[in-house]
Amino acid sequence: MHKIDTIVLDIDGTLLNREKQISQKTKDALIKVQEHGVKVILASGRPTSAMKKFAKELKMDTHHGFILSFNGAYLMDCQSETLLYGQPINAEVTTLLLEHLKQYDVIPMVSDDQYMYVNNVFGGMIDTSQMFNETGHKTNIIEYESRGGNYLLCEVKDLPSFVDFPLYKVLIAANPDYLQEHYQAIMAPFILSSRIVASTKPQHYNTSWVH
C-alpha cells in the first residue's frame, strides 16, 4: 500500500464545516497524521492572515506544515512563518489595473500583512442574495472581507498612487448584475498579463487578480 506523505486541503467547503469551523473529528485526524510524519498543506484563495488561525488549530506550526495562499501566489512555512515562494503582481500592472478600475462601479480592495485598503470604508453595501441564498440580502462587503482576512481597515483616497508594496491579489466587488454585465470589459486589458479568478460564477459578487 502506498504511503501518504502529504495532504493538501482547500479550506472553504473542504476543511471547514457549514459553521466555518474545523470539526473536532477532522482536527483530531489531521493532528494525528502529522504526528506520524505526514505533511499538511492548506491551499486557498484566502489571504495568508485568514489561514493562520486554522493552521494553529491543526498544530501545523509544530509539525512544519505549509500555507499556500492568494490562489497559489504565496507559500509560507508555518513553523518559522517565513516566505518560501512568492509571486506578486507586477508593480506596473498593479498601477494600471487600479487606474483602470476607476471607470467602473466596483469596490477594489488591496492588502498588506496587517491592513486592507479601500477608497471608502462605508461604501461597501452590495447585493449578496446569491451568496447567502436569501432574497434581498445586502452585505457590507468591505467589512465582510476585512473580517474574513483578519485585517484592520484603512481608507485611502487614491489606491494607484498609494500602493508601494507587493500585492499578491487584488479583490474587487460589485453588485452581481453589474459585474455580470461588465466583467469581461474589466478583465480585457489584463487577460494576458495576470491570472483572473471569478467567484464561482461571474454574476457573483467578486473577481480577483493574481499574477
Side-chain angles (χ1 to χ4, degrees), residues 148-161:
N150 198 29
Y151 290 123
L152 298 172
L153 271 174
C154 182
E155 191 170 277
V156 174
K157 184 176 181 180
D158 187 69
L159 287 173
S161 61

Side-chain angles (χ1 to χ4, degrees), residues 13-27:
T14 304
L15 177 66
L16 305 184
N17 57 25
R18 292 182 179 179
E19 286 72 44
K20 298 293 184 181
Q21 297 175 344
I22 307 173
S23 71
Q24 191 61 51
K25 182 178 180 180
T26 299
K27 190 182 301 184

Side-chain angles (χ1 to χ4, degrees), residues 62 84 101 116 118 141 149 172 181 189:
T62 302
L84 300 177
L101 292 176
M116 173 175 279
V118 296
I141 204 64
I172 71 167
E181 181 180 354

Side-chain angles (χ1 to χ4, degrees), residues 10 61 69 100 137 143:
D10 185 21
D61 52 337
S69 54
H100 174 68
H137 193 286
E143 180 181 1

Side-chain angles (χ1 to χ4, degrees), residues 11-176:
I11 291 182
D12 297 291
T14 304
L15 177 66
L16 305 184
N17 57 25
R18 292 182 179 179
E19 286 72 44
K20 298 293 184 181
Q21 297 175 344
I22 307 173
S23 71
Q24 191 61 51
K25 182 178 180 180
T26 299
K27 190 182 301 184
D28 291 344
L30 289 172
I31 291 173
K32 184 175 181 179
V33 297
Q34 288 178 97
E35 290 171 348
H36 286 81
V38 177
K39 294 294 182 189
V40 171
I41 302 172
L42 299 184
S44 175
R46 288 187 181 215
T48 311
S49 56
M51 300 170 68
K52 286 181 178 180
K53 61 181 179 180
F54 301 121
K56 287 189 179 298
E57 282 188 52
L58 297 173
K59 298 185 179 180
M60 292 170 60
D61 52 337
T62 302
H63 298 289
H64 218 299
F66 301 95
I67 286 175
L68 186 62
S69 54
F70 294 114
N71 299 96
Y74 193 100
L75 179 64
M76 188 191 82
D77 181 327
C78 292
Q79 190 169 49
S80 62
E81 293 200 355
T82 55
L83 172 66
L84 300 177
Y85 167 84
Q87 190 172 22
I89 304 172
N90 177 276
E92 182 179 353
V93 171
T94 296
T95 301
L96 291 172
L97 170 59
L98 292 173
E99 285 288 354
H100 174 68
L101 292 176
K102 289 180 179 180
Q103 64 188 298
Y104 298 98
D105 187 17
V106 299
I107 303 164
M109 293 168 271
V110 299
S111 59
D112 57 18
D113 292 337
Q114 187 175 8
Y115 287 91
M116 173 175 279
Y117 302 97
V118 296
N119 294 129
N120 179 4
V121 296
F122 300 109
M125 294 301 295
I126 64 171
D127 180 4
T128 49
S129 300
Q130 295 183 50
M131 180 180 174
F132 293 100
N133 295 314
E134 183 180 333
T135 303
H137 193 286
K138 289 185 178 293
T139 301
N140 184 328
I141 204 64
I142 292 172
E143 180 181 1
Y144 177 85
E145 292 291 347
S146 63
R147 287 182 183 276
N150 198 29
Y151 290 123
L152 298 172
L153 271 174
C154 182
E155 191 170 277
V156 174
K157 184 176 181 180
D158 187 69
L159 287 173
S161 61
F162 172 78
V163 174
D164 62 355
F165 48 87
L167 283 185
Y168 294 92
K169 188 172 186 175
V170 175
L171 180 66
I172 71 167
N175 281 307

